[in-house]
Amino acid sequence: QVQLVESGGGLVQAGGSLRLSCAVSGRTFSRPAMGWFRQAPGKEREFVAAINWSGVSTYYADSVKGRFTISRDNAKNVLYLQMNSLKPEDTAIYYCAATSDFGLKINSYEYSYWGQGTPVTVSS
């Protein structure tokens, strides 16, 4: 059974930083590409960042480019999202997700497995 567990969310003031983690366990695809998505109340889930299996290729939504960094440690089966210069509009529940493929994917329907989410609140 595949399980993705996010951690690291919380409350932070604007301009601050948080680092989210996603621990992967169970029988996922052996070399999955992964990503981060977020969803604010009353809004649709939106893409944040994606990374291929090796970590060489990454892709970011324009809204977070230059502020967020996605990375992974395959030896530890952990995905990370470093979030710097946080803004109130970054407030949302953040979800990690895994594909059943090697390569970058930016659409939610391309992901097979999802975590439960970790909330991030950025105050002004």
Side-chain angles (χ1 to χ4, degrees):
Q1 185 177 74
V2 174
Q3 188 172 24
L4 308 180
V5 181
E6 302 96 335
S7 62
L11 175 65
V12 64
Q13 292 187 351
S17 298
L18 285 173
R19 190 188 195 191
L20 306 184
S21 299
C22 175
V24 183
S25 63
R27 295 184 181 274
T28 62
F29 179 70
S30 61
R31 301 165 71 178
M34 298 188 69
W36 289 95
F37 293 76
R38 66 187 183 187
Q39 188 168 24
K43 299 182 67 176
E44 295 184 349
R45 184 173 298 182
E46 66 173 342
F47 169 77
V48 175
I51 189 167
N52 75 340
W53 179 83
S54 69
V56 171
S57 297
T58 59
Y59 189 82
Y60 298 91
D62 288 342
S63 60
V64 306
K65 192 174 298 181
R67 300 188 297 120
F68 291 11
T69 302
I70 187 171
S71 62
R72 66 195 301 166
D73 186 338
N74 288 341
K76 296 181 178 180
N77 294 318
V78 178
L79 176 74
Y80 301 102
L81 184 68
Q82 178 67 46
M83 305 186 295
N84 298 326
S85 301
L86 283 162
K87 305 174 181 179
E89 52 262 44
D90 294 318
T91 295
I93 298 175
Y94 283 71
Y95 299 89
C96 68
T99 72
S100 298
D101 196 9
F102 309 116
L104 285 172
K105 302 183 188 304
I106 64 172
N107 300 300
S108 61
Y109 62 79
E110 296 177 296
Y111 286 80
S112 298
Y113 308 103
W114 294 84
Q116 295 299 306
T118 186
V120 172
T121 302
V122 184
S123 62
S124 60

